[in-house]
Amino acid sequence: VYGVSIPRDSKAVWDGKSHKINAAFGKGGMTKLAEVVSDQLGIPVDYTVSVDLTGFEALVDAIGGVNFDVPINMDYDDPIQNLSIHFKKGVQYLNGADAMRVVRFRHNNDGSGYPRQDLDRAETQRNFLAALVSQTVTLSNVTKVTELINILNEYVDTNMPLNDMIYFATAAIGMDL
């Protein structure tokens, strides 16, 4: 299993024209995005998984939150989006709403932030997902399997067959993230 972070403003070409890669999703959903990524990288995209943002928060809350090492001080406010992101660098306990703010963070109010901008943001997102998986596949969450399955059924859209999902989930339990 490979996870790839592609900066949203990366150039992609389809239909003979240059676009930002994130426009592929708007053009044709996950099917178009998978096609464009496959064409650009020259590798097949076997499966796609799309998680609704509400589902992301619900999953984090269902496992009781996630301990995560926030990589930098975050101080951002956007009144138009009713978005406030304020975290100190270091290990933090994050509930679903807090986790969403951390993975959405791009820059501080003063313009400072991640030195490598979207590359560092993508790294934070990957690191958070690794922490989420690590903290989800624990014995303490065995009693929450039904709740977790219900969240996945409601908020996840995938073309992956159930038997493959079970295989990958089982493999993830022993994975060193």
Side-chain angles (χ1 to χ4, degrees), residues 102-148:
V102 167
V103 300
R104 286 188 66 190
F105 177 79
R106 297 184 73 193
H107 58 79
N108 291 308
N109 290 330
D110 67 5
S112 67
Y114 291 123
R116 297 179 311 145
Q117 300 176 347
D118 276 345
L119 297 176
D120 288 336
R121 177 181 187 217
E123 183 178 351
T124 296
Q125 292 169 345
R126 285 191 306 275
N127 290 341
F128 182 83
L129 290 176
L132 175 65
V133 169
S134 173
Q135 293 173 52
T136 299
V137 292
T138 62
L139 288 177
S140 63
N141 285 321
V142 168
T143 59
K144 301 174 184 173
V145 168
T146 301
E147 181 181 3
L148 297 173

Side-chain angles (χ1 to χ4, degrees), residues 69-91:
D69 191 3
V70 175
I72 63 174
N73 289 330
M74 298 179 175
D75 184 30
Y76 177 75
D77 296 289
D78 182 346
I80 295 172
Q81 294 184 62
N82 193 26
L83 177 63
S84 292
I85 303 172
H86 301 283
F87 296 96
K88 295 290 183 194
K89 177 181 178 176
V91 177

Side-chain angles (χ1 to χ4, degrees), residues 151-163:
I151 290 168
L152 294 176
N153 281 335
E154 184 173 352
Y155 297 108
V156 174
D157 184 23
T158 183
N159 63 350
M160 186 182 299
L162 180 60
N163 60 327

